[in-house]
């Protein structure tokens, strides 16, 4: 079981670095990373060069995403991938818009070392920068073949997609894989109290007071409204 600091991304004692090649490395929980490497080998047999665009992310890394989106330095998207005008939102609107696609610092599944946002490197057009939006993983998108493989390929290795459909929390993320043996117990251990403790310690977080006022709701909706593996863990 992960400690409170590991669950909220404030420690890195549960993760290590994995090397795919000279250009590609990622950090993950030891067992989750090994499972990913086995899954990557299976994907290669289907012509897919499976690499994580993001894996473990600590509290500070998640805070950088939050702050950039709060300050309008990164775009905010609606459910269809359209850009939401930053200046049209009040503080509650900003919280809602950010949490539609990005987890709260301290509450990100990426803190656990069990999560992988994946692309097919072999399918990348020259000069293309992945946006991690659903239209990239369906017919006509650069990762359409990967999107089809992700329906069943990862199951053999203990992975499932927690954001497979719309549940009223984070929008669907077909690229997001979760290693069940670690992620399922971690989700059960992440409480609103732990989330509050992590946010209260982040005195320079923009929107901090609005987040703290809504922490129970964020836990219920953004943290807990996720899919589960279709097999016992």
């Amino acid at each position: 079981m992960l400690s409170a600091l590991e669950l909220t991304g404030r420690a890195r004692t549960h993760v290590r670095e994995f090397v795919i090649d000279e250009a590609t490395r990622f950090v993950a929980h030891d067992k989750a990373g090994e499972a990913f490497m086995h899954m990557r080998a299976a994907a290669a047999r289907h012509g897919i060069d499976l690499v994580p665009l993001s894996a473990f992310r600590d509290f500070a890394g998640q805070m950088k995403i939050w702050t950039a989106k709060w300050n309008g330095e990164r775009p905010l998207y609606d459910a269809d991938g359209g850009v939401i005008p930053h200046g049209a939102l009040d503080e509650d609107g900003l919280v809602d818009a950010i949490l539609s696609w990005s987890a709260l610092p301290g509450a990100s599944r990426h803190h656990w070392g069990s999560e992988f946002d994946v692309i097919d490197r072999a399918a990348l057009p020259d000069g293309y920068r992945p946006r991690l939006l659903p239209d990239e993983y369906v017919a006509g998108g650069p990762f359409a073949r990967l999107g089809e493989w992700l329906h069943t390929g990862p199951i053999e290795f203990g992975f499932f997609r927690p954001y497979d459909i719309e549940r009223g929390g984070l929008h669907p993320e077909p690229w997001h894989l979760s290693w069940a043996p670690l992620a399922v117990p971690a989700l059960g251990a992440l409480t609103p109290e732990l989330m509050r403790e992590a946010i209260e310690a982040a005195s320079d977080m923009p929107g901090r007071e609005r987040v703290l006022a809504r922490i129970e709701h964020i836990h219920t909706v953004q943290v807990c409204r996720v899919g589960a593996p279709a097999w016992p863990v």
Side-chain angles (χ1 to χ4, degrees):
M1 179 53 63
L2 303 181
S3 70
L5 292 178
E6 291 167 344
L7 280 167
T8 53
R10 294 175 291 165
R12 304 172 62 97
T13 46
H14 57 303
V15 296
R16 70 173 179 88
E17 186 179 67
F18 289 81
V19 178
I20 291 177
D21 53 39
E22 289 186 4
T24 309
R25 302 165 182 259
F26 66 90
V27 175
H29 185 277
D30 189 59
K31 292 182 179 178
E34 290 176 358
F36 180 88
M37 295 299 281
H38 289 304
M39 178 174 61
R40 170 175 157 77
R45 293 193 287 272
H46 295 267
I48 295 169
D49 185 7
L50 189 71
V51 296
L53 205 59
S54 180
F56 170 75
R57 190 182 308 131
D58 64 11
F59 185 92
Q62 196 69 29
M63 185 63 76
K64 287 181 182 178
I65 295 172
W66 175 275
T67 301
K69 290 190 173 185
W70 185 276
N71 292 336
E73 297 162 357
R74 291 181 62 163
L76 301 170
Y77 295 107
D78 61 24
D80 299 318
V83 175
I84 301 173
H86 183 276
L89 301 173
D90 60 13
E91 286 200 349
D92 279 318
L94 277 172
V95 171
D96 290 337
I98 295 171
L99 292 179
S100 292
W101 287 109
S102 299
L104 184 71
S108 173
R109 298 174 69 96
H110 283 279
H111 295 334
W112 308 336
S114 58
E115 313 298 301
F116 302 83
D117 294 335
V118 298
I119 63 168
D120 177 5
R121 188 167 54 180
L124 275 174
D126 289 342
Y128 184 82
R129 182 175 181 178
R131 298 171 297 146
L132 291 184
L133 289 174
D135 62 3
E136 295 176 305
Y137 292 79
V138 296
F143 308 128
R145 181 174 57 168
L146 171 60
E148 285 296 317
W149 185 80
L150 289 174
H151 285 299
T152 57
I155 294 172
E156 177 184 352
F157 305 94
F159 289 91
F160 70 104
R161 293 195 286 184
Y163 307 117
D164 53 341
I165 61 172
E166 185 70 62
R167 292 183 173 86
L170 269 73
H171 293 313
E173 296 186 349
W175 55 84
H176 187 132
L177 297 177
S178 183
W179 192 62
L182 177 58
V184 171
L187 177 61
L190 182 64
T191 64
E193 291 74 27
L194 283 179
M195 292 166 54
R196 182 181 298 279
E197 176 187 305
I199 296 301
E200 285 178 341
S203 59
D204 58 347
M205 176 183 181
R208 178 170 170 264
E209 295 308 315
R210 294 309 308 145
V211 167
L212 287 171
R214 299 173 56 180
I215 207 76
E216 296 278 352
H217 176 77
I218 292 171
H219 179 265
T220 298
V221 176
Q222 264 75 25
V223 175
C224 294
R225 288 187 184 171
V226 295
W231 63 90
V233 176

